[in-house]
Amino acid sequence: MSSLYDDLSEKLKKDPRLTKRGGARYDLSLLLFNARDSLHELWEAADRYVRSRDTEAFGDLQDAVEKLRPLFGERSDRERAHE
């Protein structure tokens, strides 16, 4: 299985045209734009953990990863069917 991000990236590889309206490029940009705060939180949590190895920082890192799991985690067959 693959993630939503993986699926969109694969579609983009198949049709990478910059001039095409909509499609995987647009969907991927929206997905990443909408997740920008969570991605920033992930960066901050990872940086804190790498610097300190603190258990509180590790908990923040786990929370940040869970927020992004719907985008980057494996998708079920049911989720794929709704595309």
Side-chain angles (χ1 to χ4, degrees):
M1 282 198 234
S2 61
S3 68
L4 176 57
Y5 176 85
D6 292 333
D7 290 346
L8 289 173
S9 293
E10 189 60 35
K11 287 179 184 178
L12 186 57
K13 285 179 190 175
K14 291 178 183 175
D15 187 4
R17 291 179 288 167
L18 289 173
T19 58
K20 183 177 179 182
R21 293 217 175 248
R25 183 177 300 275
Y26 178 76
D27 291 345
L28 189 57
S29 66
L30 270 180
L31 180 138
L32 295 174
F33 178 79
N34 289 336
R36 69 189 181 284
D37 292 334
S38 295
L39 288 167
H40 186 253
E41 288 176 26
L42 177 62
W43 163 255
E44 288 180 335
D47 186 48
R48 257 192 328 275
Y49 180 69
V50 165
R51 291 174 186 265
S52 69
R53 301 281 190 222
D54 178 44
T55 55
E56 184 177 331
F58 183 69
D60 292 343
L61 183 57
Q62 286 178 312
D63 292 343
V65 167
E66 290 308 315
K67 285 182 182 177
L68 291 169
R69 189 170 302 285
L71 305 179
F72 295 102
E74 288 189 22
R75 298 170 69 199
S76 68
D77 290 337
R78 182 176 171 205
E79 289 171 321
R80 289 171 177 268
H82 292 298
E83 286 187 342

